[in-house]
Amino acid sequence: MIISMKKHATREEFETVTRQVNHFGYKVHSIEGEERVVIGVVGVGDVTACMESIEALPQVEHVVRISAPYKFVSREFRKEKTRVRVNGTVVGGDEFVVMAGPCSVESEEQILRSAEGVAKAGAKLLRGGAFKPRTSPYDFQGMEEEGLKLLQKAKQATGLAIVTEVMSDRDVDLVAHYADMLQIGARNMQNFMLLKALGRCGRPILLKRGLSSTVKELLMSAEYIVAHGNPEVILCERGIRTFETITRNTCDIAAIPALNELTHLPVILDPSHATGKRSLVPALCRAGVAIGADGLIVEVHPAPEKAISDGAQSLDIVQFSKMMEELKPYVELWKQTRMEVAVAAS
Ligand code: PEP
Ligand code: MN
């Protein structure tokens, strides 16, 4: 059950509601939104009696019964899509947002050339890992804080907002200091200590689907972040592990419309990790636009053949610019569809 308090409800009024909820044997979990406090209620008990009693309290705006185990992120909780603002760019609104950049930050020249190239081609955010989750302990692990500083330089040079990965709860404050959005990689989707630490980081989160995680598990991980106080979450389909070996992962393209039915959170597609092959990236980008994603995150490197990580799936600047150009008519159709959906909903 979700209880939405009236605007400007006081702490005392919130506590009255909490007492009433506890009286019926339930527990509360509150999140403070920009305008109002929303209370998630969990437990087992007489739902109807509890709802009726709470609805009668004067400080309560409305009460909704939610059946999904992920409450705050479910469509039942909120019908309209959440708009996540990342340094002036809105994801989940009426703009299709492309994030691009190298897998890892490698040097000042590499990240500046990447940033300038992707900005010119129309990307709104710069990606690049300073903390890298690598399968082998012998592989490049990232430039860490030095890499974050280079990302900041690239932001100053181009105006692009920064999205970069944080791997440990210990580093959340450090990464949040430099980044506009924190990325949680596939391997950390169920690092619950990390998810909890994101609740108060003051930055939007890009949550990538785990390699072997279901859509429901992805939503439960998003619920962790929201329940701990941060409603600004963007989900990312990046391919899952199957028996197929032609592609690095299997892109679960249907997860995008499925998520759009189940949650109000924005959903983007990562065609680079989904395929592992640069030749397949443009086709998947078109698919992402057509199927109703809110944006893309694409790996782009000024010299992919020299990349320290994920070169085979990275586009060079020319290929990325061409792809962005070819995507334009699809994005136009996407915009029209968004407008029609907005008109139908109003
Ligand atoms: C990445 O974005 O470079 C990355 C490591 O992605 P994922 O966590 O999806 O594997
Ligand atoms: Mn990568």
Side-chain angles (χ1 to χ4, degrees):
M1 183 191 326
I2 296 275
I3 303 165
S4 192
M5 300 291 287
K6 286 196 173 143
K7 269 189 200 175
H8 317 300
T10 64
R11 180 128 290 274
E12 244 168 53
E13 289 168 334
F14 166 70
E15 276 160 14
T16 309
V17 173
T18 305
R19 271 197 301 278
Q20 196 72 344
V21 167
N22 292 340
H23 169 76
F24 282 93
Y26 290 94
K27 284 196 180 135
V28 309
H29 211 115
S30 76
I31 53 165
E32 272 150 64
E34 258 170 51
E35 286 199 334
R36 65 184 82 230
V37 172
V38 176
I39 305 170
V41 176
V42 289
V44 199
D46 187 340
V47 184
T48 312
C50 183
M51 276 181 78
E52 281 175 3
S53 138
I54 303 285
E55 255 164 356
L57 295 172
Q59 58 274 34
V60 169
E61 179 80 38
H62 62 263
V63 184
V64 197
R65 189 172 177 174
I66 305 237
S67 45
Y70 40 89
K71 292 181 189 298
F72 289 123
V73 306
S74 72
R75 269 280 183 198
E76 288 165 282
F77 172 50
R78 183 180 292 139
K79 289 276 162 283
E80 66 283 4
K81 204 178 249 283
T82 288
R83 292 165 177 240
V84 176
R85 181 177 288 277
V86 191
N87 195 38
T89 297
V90 176
V91 183
D94 37 29
E95 195 190 348
F96 187 82
V97 178
V98 179
M99 315 174 187
C103 179
S104 311
V105 180
E106 298 169 4
S107 68
E108 178 162 345
E109 198 213 337
Q110 174 247 19
I111 198 66
L112 284 176
R113 279 179 62 200
S114 305
E116 278 155 14
V118 302
K120 210 165 159 207
K124 289 285 154 54
L125 274 86
L126 175 68
R127 63 146 290 149
F131 290 90
K132 293 305 300 177
R134 304 306 299 279
T135 302
S136 166
Y138 308 117
D139 287 345
F140 175 62
Q141 304 287 308
M143 293 179 78
E144 304 193 346
E145 189 167 3
E146 205 189 326
L148 296 174
K149 287 186 176 152
L150 294 181
L151 284 167
Q152 198 178 42
K153 260 196 177 170
K155 176 180 176 176
Q156 281 159 1
T158 58
L160 290 178
I162 302 298
V163 54
T164 192
E165 180 160 354
V166 57
M167 285 170 56
S168 158
D169 49 325
R170 287 190 313 269
D171 297 326
V172 168
D173 291 343
L174 174 74
V175 180
H177 175 74
Y178 293 98
D180 298 288
M181 174 153 71
L182 306 191
Q183 174 177 325
I184 301 304
R187 291 154 193 82
N188 269 316
M189 189 203 86
Q190 286 189 317
N191 178 341
F192 300 115
M193 290 306 283
L194 176 57
L195 299 180
K196 288 182 201 176
L198 301 171
R200 301 268 165 231
C201 73
R203 292 275 181 267
I205 307 299
L206 177 63
L207 178 65
K208 299 187 87 175
R209 181 178 179 182
L211 280 75
S212 305
S213 299
T214 63
V215 162
K216 193 167 155 188
E217 285 163 344
L218 173 62
L219 290 169
M220 291 307 288
S221 290
E223 184 78 4
Y224 258 91
I225 302 168
V226 179
H228 280 82
N230 187 351
E232 313 240 87
V233 181
I234 300 170
L235 304 174
C236 179
E237 164 59 34
R238 47 77 73 209
I240 49 174
R241 191 165 279 191
T242 68
F243 54 81
E244 184 54 73
T245 54
I246 289 294
T247 47
R248 180 178 178 183
N249 290 288
T250 297
C251 181
D252 182 7
I253 196 78
I256 293 168
L259 282 165
N260 279 336
E261 278 183 13
L262 296 169
T263 180
H264 52 84
L265 297 177
V267 183
I268 67 167
L269 173 65
D270 171 349
S272 312
H273 294 87
T275 58
K277 283 189 179 150
R278 95 169 50 89
S279 65
L280 303 179
V281 167
L284 265 197
C285 288
R286 293 196 293 276
V289 181
I291 209 157
D294 295 290
L296 300 166
I297 182 161
V298 186
E299 284 189 342
V300 179
H301 194 288
E305 68 288 354
K306 293 196 193 130
I308 299 180
S309 59
D310 289 349
Q313 67 194 32
S314 301
L315 302 177
D316 66 22
I317 308 280
V318 173
Q319 289 160 342
F320 178 69
S321 308
K322 182 166 175 276
M323 187 204 78
M324 290 291 277
E325 212 38 56
E326 287 168 1
L327 220 49
K328 278 185 180 161
Y330 294 83
V331 172
E332 277 314 307
L333 273 174
W334 179 97
K335 280 190 182 151
Q336 270 177 36
T337 314
R338 275 288 150 115
M339 261 158 29
E340 282 159 21
V341 171
V343 169
S346 62

